[in-house]
Amino acid sequence: MSKADPHTLVTSSGAILVDAGLATQVGAEWFEPDWWSQQGLLQPVPGGRGGVGRLFTTSGDLVLRHYRRGGAVARLLGERYLWTGQSHCRSFTEFRLLDTIYRRNLPVPQPIAARYVRHGAVYTADLITRFLPGAKTLAEHILDERCSLADFANIGRTVARFHASGVYHADLNAHNILYNENRVYLIDFDRGRMRNPSGSWQQANLARLKRSLLKLLALVGTPAEQLQPCWNELQASYWIEMERP
């Protein structure tokens, strides 16, 4: 884990925020999928709103995500966001939040670099993080029918650790929880932030997660009541972790 503060590199049309240990290696080309593809070092990754690709670099495997809007606004602005200053840039704020969380030894992918490119009154944004080998989303595990009560207990403990540290995830759902045999991770902290611990937003976070699980079950025709034992296990483990001194 890098202890040095990230560096900001100014480009002709924007800026790059990069992990101090990679400041001499990362350039604007790192955020261009075509550049990686021409070298045979890009593997597209399905899922999510943003354009996602796995990068095979000499510094290890990384994930490049291009920010894209969702919902009705996407039809108007697509991948562009209104420019209101660097301090409000989506990729930079997510990078800094991830950096804070990562330094607290909470399970998130290590942030490597972030970029924004100005286009007059709007901008586009990208984020590079460390690839998590062997990890699949909770949604994938559910669709493959590979979820156990122990998995849900582990997820409950993990979410509790984030909440106890005041980490607010703006879109906690089954697609933003990854795990392998050893560890659970949270990903995609766009619009997330640090908040004072409070039962209201923490329970709203959990409710959002439960809704996403019910939606998944509905897609595969599984009765909603089959979720209850798993959800009970998640909540029980969550509260045990939250009540630790």
Side-chain angles (χ1 to χ4, degrees):
M1 182 187 305
S2 173
K3 296 297 182 182
D5 289 335
H7 289 301
T8 301
L9 310 174
V10 178
T11 68
S12 59
S13 57
I16 295 171
L17 189 61
V18 59
D19 178 271
L22 293 171
T24 59
Q25 300 179 40
V26 177
E29 69 278 359
W30 276 51
F31 298 91
E32 302 298 335
D34 287 347
W35 187 77
W36 294 102
S37 184
Q38 288 167 9
Q39 303 174 74
L41 300 175
L42 173 71
Q43 176 184 317
V45 178
R49 282 199 311 267
V52 180
R54 181 178 176 182
L55 311 177
F56 300 95
T57 83
T58 55
S59 300
D61 291 1
L62 309 175
V63 174
L64 168 63
R65 187 173 101 236
H66 183 66
Y67 287 69
R68 288 199 180 101
R69 290 182 175 276
V73 181
R75 291 194 291 270
L76 295 174
L77 294 175
E79 63 180 3
R80 301 195 173 199
Y81 298 83
L82 182 65
W83 178 255
T84 56
Q86 189 180 100
S87 62
H88 299 288
C89 173
R90 301 282 279 261
S91 55
F92 274 34
T93 55
E94 184 171 357
F95 180 103
R96 291 191 177 101
L97 178 59
L98 276 175
D99 189 56
T100 297
I101 300 171
Y102 186 77
R103 290 171 187 250
R104 294 186 181 188
N105 292 317
L106 289 170
V108 295
Q110 180 188 5
I112 300 300
R115 178 182 75 161
Y116 69 81
V117 177
R118 293 280 307 276
H119 305 274
V122 296
Y123 71 96
T124 56
D126 306 273
L127 180 70
I128 297 175
T129 56
R130 185 73 63 187
F131 178 75
L132 301 173
K136 290 187 176 182
T137 66
L138 173 57
E140 290 174 302
H141 283 287
I142 288 175
L143 294 175
D144 290 341
E145 298 183 342
R146 293 183 178 180
C147 279
S148 66
L149 290 178
D151 293 329
F152 278 94
N154 198 4
I155 291 167
R157 285 190 294 270
T158 301
V159 173
R161 289 180 60 200
F162 281 85
H163 283 181
S165 295
V167 180
Y168 169 72
H169 193 298
D171 191 18
L172 187 64
N173 64 56
H175 298 279
N176 290 331
I177 297 174
L178 270 65
Y179 68 91
N180 52 28
E181 294 180 357
N182 303 309
R183 204 174 192 193
V184 173
Y185 302 86
L186 299 190
I187 63 168
D188 193 353
F189 282 84
D190 185 26
R191 297 181 295 109
R193 62 186 187 276
M194 301 300 299
R195 300 180 66 171
N196 291 327
S198 164
S200 59
W201 69 257
Q202 292 165 349
Q203 290 309 299
N205 244 195
L206 289 177
R208 188 180 189 92
L209 173 58
K210 187 175 184 179
R211 287 195 299 272
S212 80
L213 293 172
L214 290 171
K215 185 176 180 180
L216 267 178
L217 293 180
L219 283 175
V220 295
T222 302
E225 55 267 23
Q226 290 193 18
L227 174 65
Q228 200 57 48
C230 299
W231 188 254
N232 290 344
E233 192 71 24
L234 184 152
Q235 283 199 307
S237 298
Y238 174 91
W239 285 114
I240 290 171
E241 187 67 27
M242 288 293 284
E243 291 168 5
R244 288 185 186 276

